Amino acid sequence: MILDILTYPNPELYKISKPVEKFDKSLHSLLNNMAETMYEANGIGLAAPQVGHKLRVFVIDIAIDEEDENKLYEFINPKISQSSGTLTFEEGCLSVPGLSEEVKRKEKIQVDYFDRFGKPQILETEGLLAVAIQHENDHLDGVLFIDRLSPIRRRMVKKKLSKAITL
Ligand code: CO
């Protein structure tokens, strides 16, 4: 099922999500629906609060080209436990349509999380997947990528967005 994606400045996007406690059928159907919604919207990541569920859950598939092998990652109750280096990457977000901005992130991370069956997992990664995990993880804390910009850039972007919304 395709879910509705909430967009800026919806206040729901600024709330803190709660950890998943039950790894049950309703979690599995949420995960399935989130993946379907992400693929349909041509996104590479989607967090539960973007579709109105304040749960610490996100899905990612960074295969952009059709030749790339699809790999769907499902992260539940993730924690970035280690990180190093920095990199700047041009990010966009399904909740902030039509905007992309360079954001500074950690280059390498280790993320501890649970799979859909409640089994603990550890992933060490870098580059685009690490960027996507940090972006989606921010959604769980009510942070959008535009909140990570420098104050001047953020002011410019918010002005641009408020104009776009008024039209
Ligand atoms: Co996003």
Side-chain angles (χ1 to χ4, degrees), residues 50 93 135 139:
Q50 292 180 275
C93 179
H135 175 115
H139 277 298

Side-chain angles (χ1 to χ4, degrees), residues 45 50 92-95 135-136 139 144-145:
Q50 292 180 275
C93 179
L94 292 174
S95 292
H135 175 115
E136 300 311 329
H139 277 298
L144 300 178
F145 79 105

Side-chain angles (χ1 to χ4, degrees), residues 12 16 20 24 26 75 77 97 104 112-113 118 143 162 166:
E12 291 300 307
I16 296 187
V20 167
D24 57 5
S26 75
F75 294 89
N77 300 346
K104 204 193 253 181
D112 304 345
Y113 64 102
V143 175
S162 69
T166 321

Side-chain angles (χ1 to χ4, degrees), residues 4-163:
D4 286 334
I5 300 174
L6 308 181
T7 54
Y8 176 90
N10 191 316
E12 291 300 307
L13 294 169
Y14 286 94
K15 293 185 178 161
I16 296 187
S17 292
K18 291 195 172 70
V20 167
E21 286 172 1
K22 284 187 193 150
F23 294 79
D24 57 5
K25 250 193 207 160
S26 75
L27 174 69
H28 295 179
S29 76
L30 174 63
L31 284 162
N32 296 343
N33 291 339
M34 283 173 62
E36 204 182 326
T37 304
M38 172 182 75
Y39 288 128
E40 207 255 350
N42 289 316
I44 64 165
L46 186 69
Q50 292 180 275
V51 289
H53 293 261
K54 287 190 281 295
L55 287 171
R56 304 194 77 82
V57 171
F58 55 78
V59 294
I60 290 176
D61 186 339
I62 57 165
I64 301 165
D65 298 322
E66 275 177 35
E67 304 94 68
D68 290 347
E69 206 187 317
N70 279 80
K71 177 154 176 47
L72 178 65
Y73 289 91
E74 297 175 334
F75 294 89
I76 295 139
N77 300 346
K79 268 201 179 83
I80 295 170
S81 52
Q82 285 180 47
S83 63
S84 63
T86 54
L87 94 172
T88 305
F89 200 87
E90 190 163 333
E91 297 184 20
C93 179
L94 292 174
S95 292
V96 193
L99 188 86
S100 62
E101 288 287 328
E102 288 197 334
V103 183
K104 204 193 253 181
R105 300 282 187 185
K106 296 291 183 187
E107 187 184 9
K108 290 183 184 180
I109 59 167
Q110 180 182 305
V111 57
D112 304 345
Y113 64 102
F114 293 86
D115 69 14
R116 59 160 65 202
F117 304 106
K119 193 170 165 233
Q121 307 283 339
I122 296 175
L123 176 71
E124 268 181 65
T125 188
E126 58 185 71
L128 178 57
L129 183 55
V131 167
I133 290 169
Q134 292 168 82
H135 175 115
E136 300 311 329
N137 195 55
D138 269 354
H139 277 298
L140 309 185
D141 294 321
V143 175
L144 300 178
F145 79 105
I146 49 177
D147 302 312
R148 294 270 183 213
L149 305 175
S150 71
I152 294 171
R153 194 74 209 139
R154 191 164 59 223
R155 212 173 306 138
M156 284 171 64
V157 160
K158 291 205 167 165
K159 208 180 273 177
K160 199 154 75 176
L161 285 171
S162 69
K163 262 190 205 142

